[in-house]
Amino acid sequence: MIEPLQRPKTQPTAASNEALNAPLFSSIIQQIDPEQRCVILDLGPARTETCALFGQFRCRLEIADLGDSLTFLNGEPEPEILWKKADFVLPKKRREPADLILCWDLLNYLDRPALAAIMGRVAERGRTGTLAHALIVYSSKKMTPSPGCFVPVDAQRLMKANPDPETRDAPRYSPEDLAKFMPAYTVERGRLLRNGMQEFLFRVR
């Protein structure tokens, strides 16, 4: 059963916006047991396509929509305040921990302290072994001005829902950066995609 926290948003995709094979995303869909309940925390906005995909399973889907909180989080100089802000913008911790975290390309838009705070608080909403999927800008020096809102076309492919021009400098986080600022996670797998992004699958320690 899908229980989004807000009404899904729809956005037209450009005809030239080609679907992208995402093998690690596909692998987590294949791991979902249709007979078992699965709790998913989606850090992006509510999307009809995401709800439709996970609606095939016994899932509770929580939507965080952190794209609107970037200015609230980035640039905060006080670590204690920043971690409180991270706790505030995320859904409250529930008795049922998250099994899967969908980061999409959000991590590229968090500065390093905000990245550490958000993913630290996210880990607290999971359990040992919880998986987190993310797309990191790797080859390109530029990225779109706001998170790309990737949506699943099916269980194997993703498509960017707002293919804006790349006008903003990309942090190009390395695996070493991610390990440093996400100490609660280990890198399960990494894969370079055709569009130059690095697809990561993390696991909560």
Side-chain angles (χ1 to χ4, degrees), residues 2-3 17 24-25 40 42 44 47 58 64 69 71 79 113 125 127 143 145 152 166 177 185:
I2 297 292
E3 300 174 3
N17 192 25
L24 301 189
F25 182 79
I40 300 169
D42 187 342
R47 291 285 175 181
R58 294 182 57 199
S69 302
T71 55
R125 285 154 173 78
R127 52 172 174 74
M143 62 184 186
E166 298 178 346
D177 290 326
Y185 303 80

Side-chain angles (χ1 to χ4, degrees), residues 1-4 29 32 34 38 40 47-61 152:
M1 177 179 177
I2 297 292
E3 300 174 3
I29 302 301
I32 297 177
C38 179
I40 300 169
R47 291 285 175 181
T48 337
E49 298 90 341
T50 307
C51 291
L53 176 61
F54 291 103
Q56 304 172 63
F57 307 100
R58 294 182 57 199
C59 292
R60 174 165 66 81
L61 181 61

